[in-house]
């Protein structure tokens, strides 16, 4: 896919997805559809366990929606493809870890893309904002997600004013996990991805489904569903070879060998 706006690199169980649309890595409808196909293939490939999403260059991770493409006819309510905008935020059944490596400006739909990941690593010069208010539009996915991720008052300030957060402040509010020098960002993302890829994929799947489904449930209702094996991934886990392997490895005082089945 070297001639496409999305560059893909496989390294063992890890998939790297790089948004590469000069000058700013903005996402138009065609790019969003490609991203949807890429992340769907990641979801469905049993050999892939972890994904890293990042942007090309040193200035932009992603500013979100491509306003030039919109001016040329891309409809805001057009066909974004599988997984919705950017291929991630509405992709059903994605039960594998995703890491966002934010290498620069991350705003609007770009911040929504990062929020669709499970962990966010950032370069020291990365900045974050939701400037939609200034163009008279709503940051729809961020309006749903952000107040659940960081303190409500900070989220509402970002949504109401469009103000920018630098990496240090983003980390202080818990928006991102770690800050690294720009030259080390991808190495650190790859180290984290390798750590996750060496872990139990069926456990990750169960964690992601439980976290996702329990978000709008009462604690006891969610716990009852887990203990009653009413989550498909939990049921699969407890009937798997990996679950038995984990117990054997613990008893034998050795590292487990996870097969994802």
């Amino acid at each position: 896919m070297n001639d496409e706006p999305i560059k893909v690199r496989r390294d063992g169980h890890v998939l790297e997805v790089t948004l590469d649309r000069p000058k700013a890595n903005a996402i138009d409808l065609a790019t969003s559809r490609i991203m949807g196909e890429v992340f769907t293939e990641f979801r469905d490939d049993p050999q892939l366990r972890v994904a890293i999403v990042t942007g090309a260059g040193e200035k932009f991770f992603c500013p979100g929606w491509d306003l030039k493409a919109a001016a040329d006819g891309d409809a805001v309510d057009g066909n974004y493809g599988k997984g919705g905008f950017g291929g991630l935020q509405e992709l059903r059944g994605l039960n594998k870890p995703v890491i966002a490596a934010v290498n620069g400006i991350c705003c609007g739909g770009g911040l929504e893309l990062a929020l669709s990941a499970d962990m966010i690593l950032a370069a020291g010069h990365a900045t974050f904002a939701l400037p939609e208010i200034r163009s008279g539009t709503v940051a729809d996915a961020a309006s749903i997600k952000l107040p659940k991720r960081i303190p409500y008052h900070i989220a509402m300030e970002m949504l109401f004013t469009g103000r920018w957060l630098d990496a240090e402040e983003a980390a202080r509010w818990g928006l991102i996990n770690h800050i690294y020098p720009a030259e080390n960002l991808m190495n650190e993302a790859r180290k984290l991805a390798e750590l996750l890829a060496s872990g139990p994929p069926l456990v990750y799947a169960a964690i992601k489904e439980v976290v996702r489904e329990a978000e709008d449930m009462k604690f006891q209702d969610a716990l009852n569903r887990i203990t009653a094996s009413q989550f498909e991934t939990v049921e699969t886990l407890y009937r798997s070879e990996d679950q038995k392997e984990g117990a054997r490895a613990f008893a034998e005082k050795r590292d487990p060998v996870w097969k994802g089945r």
Side-chain angles (χ1 to χ4, degrees):
M1 300 180 66
N2 289 333
D3 59 341
E4 298 284 359
I6 302 300
K7 304 298 188 294
V8 176
R9 175 178 179 266
R10 293 179 67 129
D11 183 10
H13 295 302
V14 178
L15 181 71
E16 292 183 18
V17 181
T18 302
L19 181 57
D20 188 5
R21 290 193 73 229
K23 300 179 180 178
N25 294 332
I27 297 175
D28 62 359
L29 289 178
T31 300
S32 182
R33 289 193 290 267
I34 294 170
M35 295 175 77
E37 293 295 336
V38 167
F39 286 117
T40 298
E41 291 176 12
F42 164 68
R43 180 195 65 187
D44 296 340
D45 188 335
Q47 296 303 312
L48 291 173
R49 297 184 180 181
V50 184
I52 301 170
V53 58
T54 191
E58 300 177 352
K59 185 175 181 180
F60 290 95
F61 171 71
C62 176
W65 179 240
D66 187 338
L67 295 179
K68 290 184 179 179
D72 290 338
D74 264 15
V76 174
D77 59 351
N79 177 17
Y80 292 108
K82 298 177 182 177
F85 181 80
L88 269 182
Q89 64 187 20
E90 298 176 62
L91 186 59
R92 295 181 181 274
L94 179 53
N95 291 327
K96 300 176 181 181
V98 178
I99 301 164
V102 177
N103 56 302
I105 292 171
C106 177
C107 64
L111 179 50
E112 292 176 333
L113 176 64
L115 288 171
S116 297
D118 300 296
M119 285 162 280
I120 304 175
L121 311 183
H125 70 283
T127 53
F128 305 82
L130 294 166
E132 283 87 343
I133 187 72
R134 298 173 185 172
S135 58
T137 58
V138 176
D140 45 13
S143 296
I144 297 167
K145 291 181 177 182
L146 195 62
K148 298 177 180 179
R149 307 289 182 84
I150 65 175
Y152 173 85
H153 300 95
I154 304 303
M156 297 307 289
E157 182 183 8
M158 291 181 68
L159 288 161
F160 283 160
T161 70
R163 83 170 180 91
W164 289 83
L165 273 61
D166 61 20
E168 291 289 342
E169 185 176 5
R172 187 163 73 246
W173 297 125
L175 180 61
I176 63 178
N177 295 78
H178 302 287
I179 303 171
Y180 297 107
E183 62 271 20
N184 295 342
L185 177 64
M186 285 307 297
N187 285 338
E188 295 295 338
R190 288 166 183 148
K191 278 197 272 185
L192 177 57
E194 287 297 333
L195 174 64
L196 295 174
S198 70
L202 295 184
V203 177
Y204 294 151
I207 290 170
K208 286 201 68 169
E209 184 182 25
V210 169
V211 169
R212 184 174 61 245
E213 296 299 319
E215 186 174 22
D216 296 318
M217 297 174 66
K218 293 181 179 179
F219 171 81
Q220 195 61 53
D221 291 342
L223 192 60
N224 289 343
R225 284 193 62 187
I226 294 172
T227 55
S229 296
Q230 292 178 348
F231 289 107
E232 182 179 352
T233 54
V234 175
E235 177 71 4
T236 298
L237 170 64
Y238 289 147
R239 294 179 180 274
S240 69
E241 293 180 30
D242 276 4
Q243 199 277 329
K244 295 175 182 177
E245 166 64 7
R248 282 195 302 266
F250 179 81
E252 296 168 6
K253 298 181 180 180
R254 61 172 174 81
D255 292 333
V257 178
W258 307 115
K259 297 181 180 178
R261 61 177 186 267

